[in-house]
Amino acid sequence: MEYVEAPPIASEGSILCCTCGVPIPPNPANMCVACLRTTVDISEGIPKSVTALFCKQCERWDQPDLYLTFTLLALDLISVNPPPQVRLIDAGFLWTEPHSKRIKLKVTIQKEVMNGAILQQVFVVEFTIQYQMCDDCHRVEAKDFWKAVVQVRQKTSHKKTFYYLEQLILKHKLHTNALNIKEIHDGIDFYYATKQHALKMTDFLQCTVPCRSKTSQRLISHDIHSNTFNYKSTYSLEIVPICKDNVVCLPPRLAQSLGNMGQVCVCVRVTSAIHLIDPRTLQIAEVDGSTYWRYPFNSLCSPRQLEEFIVMDTEIIRDLHLGAGAGFRSNKHTLADVWVQKTSELDTSQQYHCRTFLGHLLNIGDLVLGFDFANSNVNDDYLNKMNPNHVPDVVLIKKSYDRSKRARRRNWKLKEMERDREGLDVVDERQYTDFLEDLEEDEALRKNINIFRDTSRPPVESDTDDEGAPCISLMEMLEDMTLADATGGEGADMMTD
């Protein structure tokens, strides 16, 4: 007697697969999962092997024709590019040999198939890395990579304005789009790959410092069939040749329009305008770029020509009546009559009397930097036409402190732009130190820039030292984030299993 196996019988709540006859739970396709997978391939149209182009120069990936900076997983998902009706459920990397130039991506997808049945499938996509230089790096290697250049110039011997401008650019991150930054003798050049980035930098500079601009173009190539032109654009910006702590002589018409202030003034700050103060009356005024170029004036002295004086006597002026039409007076300064003597002439009895706006800082015995008009030969058209009785013998600029002590107590630092320049000489170091001291003395100047705490220096608790020299408090400093802080070591791997 031969035994014949009975056909499978569907139990209650199950049906038989229409292909293989296996009891399965009811589904819209009436097929088991194995038969459904052999009948329908939901990964059809998705490549299982992809070539990923990688530029070794800029370390960017090609997708598909534009070099964009993606994370590696996002790049792989874009390369897989599933059809619209396929849902991407999960994706993850599989381990490969680091030098194999292979990247394996495990992808889980879902798709609705026969009569509304949803099928899920897991498969592996393998990426082969091939090196190919991008178009941007080709232009760099060909030394013909920039499309626009912004040339910033200032005809002055001091670079205080450039140091201030550098910090503003770093704060607003406008240097990130520059292909190259090159420093020259009297300015700095910014090279860009597109004209739009150069226009953005030009607009920022015109809103930040008083300057005037010129634009020029040079034709590189011309396609007569498509009527397209290839230009190289140059934007030249000239900053006013006035820096902080400069003594200037204003034109008579300009001085009259600013509230009948004196012609001999001191520049206390340069931001989007030139901030001037009259040392005889404490009148303040702002001269913007357009006004300066209509009534130009020059600096009467450079920082190297400032001499050191010692205060012999001082007297605060309480009441000073200004004439009709006078402008605003400064509330941050105090007017005083001061008698000073040069530190180089202490063996003589020669003293000088002057009126200064530093009455709130100066005491008997303090050292102060100033410009000696009495013993100087200044060639300036407006100064030579002035009444000699209105020209002061000495103009005091700022109080002098011990530089070595200030440098030791300086527990903060500034960031610098990466640029091509020659070796930093002694003059540049002295000018940079002057800029750091200006930041410590002027709170309004440093509020527009980022100051970082120097962890290698001990913290300073007070805003002034024993001699009264101003310092920057910890409340105004930012923490400098480094790669070691973010990863827990020098380049430690942040990825975990």
Side-chain angles (χ1 to χ4, degrees):
M1 182 177 176
E2 184 179 359
Y3 175 75
V4 179
E5 183 178 1
I9 301 176
S11 60
E12 185 178 356
S14 64
I15 62 173
L16 298 180
C17 176
C18 64
T19 302
C20 63
V22 176
I24 59 173
N27 60 65
N30 295 328
M31 298 177 62
C32 64
V33 176
C35 296
L36 194 58
R37 286 180 176 174
T38 57
T39 305
V40 180
D41 182 15
I42 64 174
S43 64
E44 184 180 1
I46 301 178
K48 307 300 188 298
S49 179
V50 181
T51 300
L53 300 180
F54 180 74
C55 179
K56 297 177 65 176
Q57 301 294 116
C58 59
E59 298 182 352
R60 291 187 295 181
W61 301 87
D62 178 26
Q63 177 55 38
D65 297 325
L66 298 177
Y67 275 74
L68 304 175
T69 304
F70 292 117
T71 60
L72 197 56
L73 182 58
L75 174 65
D76 292 343
L77 295 179
I78 293 175
S79 299
V80 171
N81 192 17
Q85 61 271 21
V86 177
R87 290 192 347 177
L88 182 64
I89 302 302
D90 188 21
F93 289 112
L94 297 178
W95 185 87
T96 55
E97 190 67 30
H99 303 288
S100 63
K101 295 183 181 179
R102 298 291 189 275
I103 299 176
K104 291 185 178 181
L105 186 67
K106 183 180 179 181
V107 181
T108 303
I109 59 175
Q110 283 184 355
K111 182 181 179 182
E112 184 177 347
V113 293
M114 301 176 178
N115 301 325
I118 297 178
L119 184 63
Q120 180 170 308
Q121 184 176 347
V122 180
F123 61 97
V124 177
V125 180
E126 182 177 350
F127 294 84
T128 303
I129 301 177
Q130 290 185 3
Y131 295 139
Q132 178 175 324
M133 185 177 293
C134 63
D135 294 337
D136 294 338
C137 294
H138 267 298
R139 285 193 289 268
V140 172
E141 294 298 326
K143 307 301 180 184
D144 191 24
F145 57 99
W146 59 272
K147 294 294 184 182
V149 58
V150 179
Q151 300 176 344
V152 187
R153 300 290 183 268
Q154 187 183 33
K155 299 177 181 179
T156 181
S157 59
H158 204 285
K159 298 182 179 180
K160 286 185 179 181
T161 306
F162 278 109
Y163 292 139
Y164 175 71
L165 193 60
E166 177 186 10
Q167 298 304 317
L168 291 179
I169 293 174
L170 287 172
K171 181 177 181 178
H172 295 87
K173 298 181 181 180
L174 292 177
H175 64 292
T176 55
N177 296 325
L179 298 175
N180 188 23
I181 302 176
K182 185 177 181 181
E183 183 179 355
I184 60 175
H185 175 65
D186 58 347
I188 189 170
D189 295 340
F190 298 88
Y191 295 90
Y192 294 95
T194 61
K195 184 178 179 180
Q196 289 74 16
H197 290 157
L199 288 173
K200 183 178 179 181
M201 172 61 79
T202 302
D203 294 339
F204 174 78
L205 294 176
Q206 290 177 342
C207 297
T208 304
V209 291
C211 60
R212 60 180 177 181
S213 62
K214 294 181 180 180
T215 305
S216 62
Q217 288 183 335
R218 181 163 61 95
L219 181 63
I220 303 301
S221 60
H222 175 212
D223 188 354
I224 60 176
H225 300 287
S226 59
N227 198 26
T228 57
F229 299 85
N230 183 19
Y231 289 100
K232 278 193 173 182
S233 304
T234 301
Y235 301 90
S236 178
L237 286 90
E238 182 182 357
I239 304 176
V240 296
I242 306 297
C243 293
K244 187 179 183 297
D245 298 334
N246 283 165
V247 182
V248 299
C249 183
L250 302 179
R253 293 184 60 183
L254 178 60
Q256 184 180 6
S257 65
L258 296 177
N260 292 325
M261 65 187 306
Q263 289 185 246
V264 178
C265 299
V266 179
C267 177
V268 294
R269 192 181 303 113
V270 177
T271 54
S272 58
I274 305 173
H275 298 257
L276 302 174
I277 186 171
D278 187 354
R280 297 186 304 109
T281 61
L282 290 186
Q283 283 186 251
I284 56 176
E286 296 182 4
V287 179
D288 56 7
S290 59
T291 304
Y292 174 84
W293 298 116
R294 285 199 305 267
Y295 305 100
F297 52 89
N298 298 319
S299 174
L300 301 181
C301 66
S302 64
R304 298 182 183 180
Q305 296 175 310
L306 297 181
E307 300 188 48
E308 191 176 56
F309 296 84
I310 184 172
V311 178
M312 308 303 295
D313 193 9
T314 179
E315 180 181 352
I316 302 297
I317 301 177
R318 303 296 179 183
D319 298 326
L320 179 65
H321 299 285
L322 301 179
F328 295 100
R329 295 184 59 185
S330 174
N331 297 324
K332 298 181 180 180
H333 302 85
T334 303
L335 195 63
D337 284 327
V338 180
W339 288 261
V340 295
Q341 186 176 7
K342 290 184 180 179
T343 55
S344 60
E345 300 178 354
L346 293 179
D347 54 345
T348 64
S349 59
Q350 178 66 36
Q351 292 187 7
Y352 302 91
H353 168 262
C354 63
R355 184 165 288 183
T356 180
F357 58 95
L358 302 175
H360 60 295
L361 296 176
L362 300 182
N363 297 306
I364 298 177
D366 289 344
L367 297 178
V368 61
L369 296 178
F371 183 67
D372 183 9
F373 276 96
N375 301 313
S376 300
N377 184 13
V378 181
N379 294 323
D380 185 82
D381 294 338
Y382 302 121
L383 186 67
N384 296 333
K385 296 178 182 179
M386 286 183 59
N387 188 348
N389 297 327
H390 295 165
V391 179
D393 293 337
V394 174
V395 175
L396 301 182
I397 305 300
K398 62 179 180 179
K399 188 176 179 179
S400 179
Y401 302 97
D402 191 346
R403 282 179 171 266
S404 58
K405 290 184 178 180
R406 296 185 68 173
R408 288 194 300 267
R409 288 177 54 88
R410 189 171 293 127
N411 62 336
W412 54 275
K413 60 183 179 180
L414 300 175
K415 289 188 176 181
E416 296 184 7
M417 290 189 304
E418 295 183 2
R419 55 187 182 270
D420 297 336
R421 60 179 179 181
E422 300 178 355
L424 191 67
D425 53 9
V426 180
V427 177
D428 288 336
E429 291 182 356
R430 177 63 179 269
Q431 293 178 1
Y432 189 70
T433 303
D434 292 341
F435 174 69
L436 298 182
E437 293 178 354
D438 291 341
L439 291 180
E440 293 175 341
E441 297 170 3
D442 193 345
E443 182 179 358
L445 186 65
R446 64 175 180 262
K447 71 178 182 180
N448 296 325
I449 65 177
N450 291 333
I451 298 175
F452 298 92
R453 186 170 68 91
D454 191 355
T455 56
S456 61
R457 300 290 186 91
V460 179
E461 298 180 357
S462 62
D463 294 344
T464 57
D465 59 8
D466 299 336
E467 296 183 355
C471 303
I472 299 179
S473 62
L474 290 175
M475 296 294 294
E476 303 179 67
M477 302 181 191
L478 302 175
E479 291 290 342
D480 189 12
M481 291 294 295
T482 60
L483 183 61
D485 298 334
T487 59
E490 295 183 0
D493 193 359
M494 291 188 294
M495 297 183 62
T496 58
D497 296 335

